[in-house]
Every structure is written in C-alpha cells, then in structure tokens.
Amino acid sequence: GESVGLHLPTLSVQEGDNSIINCAYSNSASDYFIWYKQESGKGPQFIIDIRSNMDKRQGQRVTVLLNKTVKHLSLQIAATQPGDSAVYFCAETDGTYKYIFGTGTRLKVLA
Amino acid sequence: DTGVSQDPRHKITKRGQNVTFRCDPISEHNRLYWYRQTLGQGPEFLTYFQNEAQLEKSRLLSDRFSAERPKGSFSTLEIQRTEQGDSAMYLCASSLPRTENEQFFGPGTRLTVL
C-alpha cells in the first residue's frame, strides 16, 4: 500500500550545527505533509506542515522542503539544540483525515 | 501539553483481560482519532470519529477492539481478551473539521500485556 518512509533511522549532530531529516513518500495523491516531533514517553508534537502547492515553508528554526517530482520531504533544523533530541516523523495525507506516518528518525544532539 | 488528555497513562494487564482507555479531546474539536504505535514505528491509524459517528475503522482494529464516542466529546477504546501482541502505545488525537487541520495528539496510554 501507499506509505511514508525515512532514509536514516538515526542522525547525530553537534550542538549548534544544522540538522536535515529526510522522508520519502510514495502516494502521489498526497497533498498535505506534516512533521511531528516525539520525545520519549510523550505523544507526537506538531512542528510544521506544508501543502502540495508549496515547495518550502519556514517556521522558527525549522524549514520544510517539498520536492513533488521525486516525492521527497525534508526537515531542516537550524542551530540544533539539546532540546531538539527526539524522534521525528513525517506524515502525509491525501486530503482525507487519515495520516500515514513513516517509521521515524532519531535525532541525537551531541554536546 | 496539547490539550488532549488520555487516561490511564500506563496499563499493565494479563493476557485475556479486558482493558478500556479514555481520551478527552480539545473541547471544540469535533474530529477524534485513535492510533496505535509500537516501539520504533510511527503511529498507525485505527479509527476516526466525527462528532459521535465512527466513520472509519482500520483493518488493524480486530473484533476484539471497540471504540465509542457517545456524546461527541470524550472517547473510549476497549480491547477485549487482550493478547501480548496488543502491547503498544495507544494515541488519541483530535482536530477541527477541515481535513488539513493539524491533529493534536495526547500523551498516549502505554499498554503492556503480560
């Protein structure tokens, strides 16, 4: 079936460096994409979203890039901080209410 | 804290027992979702309510699972005759009516079936 996946299961970055987390999706009908952050023992927390009519969206220290040609989504975190350590999930939806999540990437911030 | 609460946060039960979880969504959200998450995986959709109507159930939701949202506010998820394979985090989320609206997740209920 259609699914969302991630390239890297674990990413380690030095504090202060930029982080890039990637995600590949397979459903060309998906038109809304979301990045969630999940800390241990907690539910997913919304970070940023993007619609398919956009290529880039920026938030506070985070940027999401969408490449519909290759069905690729990325999350960029600027000046990574220890509090950014978590598992990051991308999710997609094709205009329905159902989110399809990938398996997640664990981000480790090294002091 | 997203405003979505779940109770209990942790549940340990023996195989064959029944368990019930509760979710209280954000008050103005009429859409409510249940997901299941196993270790190292992303959440998997289980079921969805719009107000009190259950509009979709995933094939992951076997006949041992039942969910209700009787008054369109809080929801319960019951698992009968629990099996070890039911051990997971059960997440509830809620959202406003538009399909693009962010789903706000609760902290989850961690179920361990011994």
Side-chain angles (χ1 to χ4, degrees), chain A:
Chain A
E2 302 289 1
S3 64
V4 174
L6 296 175
H7 297 307
L8 300 173
T10 303
L11 177 65
S12 297
V13 297
Q14 287 294 136
E15 182 178 355
D17 287 352
N18 296 336
S19 302
I20 299 176
I21 301 173
N22 297 303
C23 174
Y25 66 94
S26 57
N27 185 357
S28 57
S30 292
D31 60 0
Y32 181 59
F33 304 88
I34 316 97
W35 280 101
Y36 279 91
K37 171 186 180 183
Q38 188 173 26
E39 296 174 287
S40 181
K42 297 184 179 180
Q45 176 187 0
F46 174 90
I47 300 173
I48 192 167
D49 59 0
I50 189 168
R51 297 181 186 178
S52 59
N53 61 353
M54 303 172 68
D55 297 321
K56 179 179 179 179
R57 190 162 188 225
Q58 289 183 295
Q60 187 175 19
R61 281 202 309 119
V62 294
T63 300
V64 55
L65 299 178
L66 175 63
N67 186 330
K68 294 179 289 294
T69 302
V70 295
K71 298 192 186 77
H72 185 266
L73 193 68
S74 69
L75 176 69
Q76 300 178 1
I77 304 173
T80 311
Q81 302 170 358
D84 295 327
S85 293
V87 177
Y88 290 80
F89 294 97
C90 63
E92 62 172 330
T93 182
D94 59 0
T96 66
Y97 44 80
K98 188 187 307 182
Y99 284 9
I100 299 172
F101 285 83
T103 55
T105 292
R106 181 174 300 281
L107 177 64
K108 293 185 177 180
V109 181
L110 308 173

Side-chain angles (χ1 to χ4, degrees), chain B residues 3-109:
Chain B
V4 179
S5 61
Q6 293 187 244
D7 184 71
R9 294 293 307 278
H10 303 274
K11 178 70 176 179
I12 299 174
T13 191
K14 293 182 178 179
R15 190 175 52 189
Q17 297 295 305
N18 300 340
V19 295
T20 300
F21 311 140
R22 176 179 170 125
C23 170
D24 286 89
I26 295 171
S27 59
E28 62 267 28
H29 287 185
N30 68 338
R31 293 186 170 189
L32 186 146
Y33 316 81
W34 285 98
Y35 290 82
R36 182 174 70 187
Q37 185 177 27
T38 53
L39 195 62
Q41 301 296 314
E44 297 174 291
F45 172 82
L46 291 178
T47 190
Y48 153 68
F49 289 85
Q50 182 159 308
N51 299 311
E52 66 275 9
Q54 187 174 17
L55 298 185
E56 185 171 342
K57 294 171 60 175
S58 163
R59 63 179 182 277
L60 295 174
L61 218 62
S62 74
D63 56 7
R64 296 185 297 105
F65 288 70
S66 62
E68 296 183 343
R69 194 183 183 196
K71 297 182 180 180
S73 56
F74 73 92
S75 176
T76 58
L77 177 68
E78 180 182 14
I79 308 174
Q80 296 181 328
R81 305 180 303 282
T82 53
E83 301 173 356
Q84 288 186 326
D86 297 331
S87 295
M89 174 79 84
Y90 290 85
L91 293 162
C92 174
S94 69
S95 72
L96 291 168
R98 285 182 57 196
T99 56
E100 303 86 19
N101 275 120
E102 172 192 348
Q103 293 185 16
F104 292 81
F105 282 83
T109 295

